């Protein structure tokens, strides 16, 4: 038996952690390639111990994704009535509130770790993550039809 809204809440945050872990993997591998390949940087030392940055980047990105994902799902829970009251079924109406919540979650987390610059940086990343994950849900057909809470004229 389901225990309420918590499983969906945690599942959405875990999806953010996985998405950010993938980005961390890519950044870690690119960082490794940039520092280890002699034709990219002539002064690189192949025995410099830089391979540990790949798992560090994966872990750090996954932790950041989990934290921002938890803030994001909290904002989604708070804004549920507002999102349901929006009229229209175009892509802007369906995607916009999710991107806005993702950007707000990134802004909050970024302010905590990096001040104003970090806030704006993570707001962009949060909005892009929300857009990508919501777009994947819409494309796969996982988004159920929204209940019509506003009568149409």
């Amino acid at each position: 038996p389901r225990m309420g809204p918590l499983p969906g809440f945690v599942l959405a945050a875990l999806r953010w952690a996985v998405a950010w872990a993938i980005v961390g993997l890519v950044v870690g591998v690119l960082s490794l390639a940039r520092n280890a390949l002699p034709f990219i940087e002539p002064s690189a030392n192949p025995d410099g111990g830089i391979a540990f940055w790949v798992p560090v980047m994966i872990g750090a990105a996954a932790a950041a994704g989990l934290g921002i994902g938890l803030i994001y799902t909290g904002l989604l829970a708070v804004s549920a009535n507002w999102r349901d009251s929006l009229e229209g079924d175009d892509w802007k109406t369906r995607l916009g509130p999710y991107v806005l919540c993702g950007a707000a979650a990134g802004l909050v987390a970024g302010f905590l770790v990096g001040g104003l610059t970090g806030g704006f940086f993570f707001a962009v990343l949060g909005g892009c993550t929300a857009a990508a994950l919501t777009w994947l849900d819409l494309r796969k057909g996982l988004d159920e039809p929204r209940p019509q809470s506003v009568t149409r004229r």
Side-chain angles (χ1 to χ4, degrees), residues 41-64:
E41 185 176 327
S43 63
N45 182 3
D47 297 326
I50 58 175
F52 77 95
W53 281 107
V54 175
V56 167
M57 288 299 293
I58 293 170

Side-chain angles (χ1 to χ4, degrees), residues 11-111:
L11 182 62
L14 288 176
R15 289 183 66 207
W16 275 65
V18 168
W20 280 52
I22 292 169
V23 171
L25 172 66
V26 170
V27 169
V29 168
L30 289 176
S31 172
L32 177 67
R34 182 181 61 87
N35 290 329
L37 297 177
F39 63 89
I40 293 178
E41 185 176 327
S43 63
N45 182 3
D47 297 326
I50 58 175
F52 77 95
W53 281 107
V54 175
V56 167
M57 288 299 293
I58 293 170
L66 181 63
I68 295 173
L70 288 171
I71 296 170
Y72 170 76
T73 53
L75 289 172
L76 284 181
V78 169
S79 67
N81 289 336
W82 170 69
R83 287 183 292 114
D84 288 341
S85 70
L86 296 175
E87 290 188 18
D89 201 26
D90 59 341
W91 66 272
K92 292 180 278 189
T93 306
R94 296 183 73 143
L95 192 61
Y98 294 98
V99 173
L100 186 62
C101 287
L107 189 68
V108 169
F111 276 144

